[in-house]
Amino acid sequence: MRRYGCLQAIAEDVGDALVICTVGGAAAQWNAIRPGDGNLRCRTLGLVSSIAMGLALALQNRMVVALDGDGALLMNACALPTLACQRPGNLIHLVFDNGVYESSGLRPTATLNGADLVEMARGAGIKHACWASSVENFKQEFNKAKERKAYSLIAAKVEAGEDYRELPAFGVAEVENAYRFMRHIEKLEGIRVVPLPGPRH
Ligand SMILES: [Mg+2]
């Protein structure tokens, strides 16, 4: 199974959801499939799930999708029990387990040694956590999660070393991405997230 294929399969189902992407190929691939200011690339390894959870709790009528990885989730594994406690029903947490730290030289993660991310999630108290067995099943599980309206974690074992160098660059720097994302939310929700400078500034 390839991550790119999984992302392509759910693109239409994601619609205009806010998408928080982990660093590396997932962000590049997703942004190639659905470019726009509704994508936030999280450059700090591990924080995707926590940022997505906060966003989902703050905007409870808006679907939020987290694109997480094995290295990232292991880095912030303490997010799992918090996600189980908070369980925002508008958050779908997708975890692509390629067994490596993709952005830093393809070194193995603990999942290659048997760490099972879905079992970890279940052990932390997450009720709806599953492995997808194929791209088709991944899409099915995604749509089941949408209908369920309960926090769901869907993991997929994917190939390591997918080549994303030919895809368009993400295109915006980290701070610019954050501001564009916030302005995008302001327009969607009709709210002010970051005050504009007043006339005297
Ligand atoms: Mg990985």
Side-chain angles (χ1 to χ4, degrees):
M1 202 172 357
R2 295 180 69 235
R3 182 181 57 211
Y4 196 47
C6 291
L7 293 174
Q8 285 176 311
I10 60 164
E12 211 169 284
D13 308 308
V14 171
D16 65 352
L18 298 169
V19 178
I20 317 295
C21 313
T22 190
V23 69
Q29 290 177 331
W30 177 251
N31 202 58
I33 293 167
R34 196 203 71 173
D37 292 339
N39 301 328
L40 179 70
R41 179 172 55 163
C42 175
R43 300 293 302 273
T44 306
L45 189 67
L47 288 187
V48 161
S49 53
S50 296
I51 292 171
M53 181 184 70
L55 193 61
L57 290 169
L59 301 174
Q60 295 190 9
N61 294 316
R62 177 80 42 193
M63 184 163 78
V64 177
V65 177
L67 304 183
D68 214 344
D70 51 326
L73 188 57
L74 288 163
M75 178 69 79
N76 188 23
C78 58
L80 290 171
T82 308
L83 284 158
C85 287
Q86 297 294 331
R87 53 181 186 282
N90 53 331
L91 173 59
I92 303 179
H93 189 176
L94 305 176
V95 184
F96 296 102
D97 179 3
N98 60 6
V100 295
Y101 292 98
E102 186 176 56
S103 303
S104 55
L106 303 178
R107 292 181 182 84
T109 72
T111 67
L112 280 190
N113 195 44
D116 185 313
L117 300 175
V118 169
E119 288 302 317
M120 286 171 61
R122 288 177 181 152
I126 294 171
K127 194 173 164 194
H128 303 290
C130 69
W131 285 107
S133 57
S134 64
V135 171
E136 294 72 27
N137 182 235
F138 184 81
K139 182 178 172 70
Q140 284 168 354
E141 291 295 341
F142 184 87
N143 282 303
K144 275 161 67 177
K146 264 178 82 173
E147 286 168 24
R148 186 184 294 129
K149 293 188 169 41
Y151 166 65
S152 304
L153 183 151
I154 305 162
K157 291 277 185 189
V158 295
E159 294 171 20
E162 288 187 43
D163 190 354
Y164 51 89
R165 290 170 299 180
E166 299 302 315
L167 296 176
F170 195 83
V172 288
E174 190 174 2
V175 173
E176 186 180 358
N177 183 202
Y179 271 92
R180 285 188 181 206
F181 185 73
M182 289 186 284
R183 298 300 181 209
H184 178 76
I185 291 171
E186 289 179 342
K187 278 189 201 155
L188 276 181
E189 300 289 332
I191 57 173
R192 177 65 64 203
V193 177
V194 180
L196 293 168
R200 298 176 64 191
H201 294 278

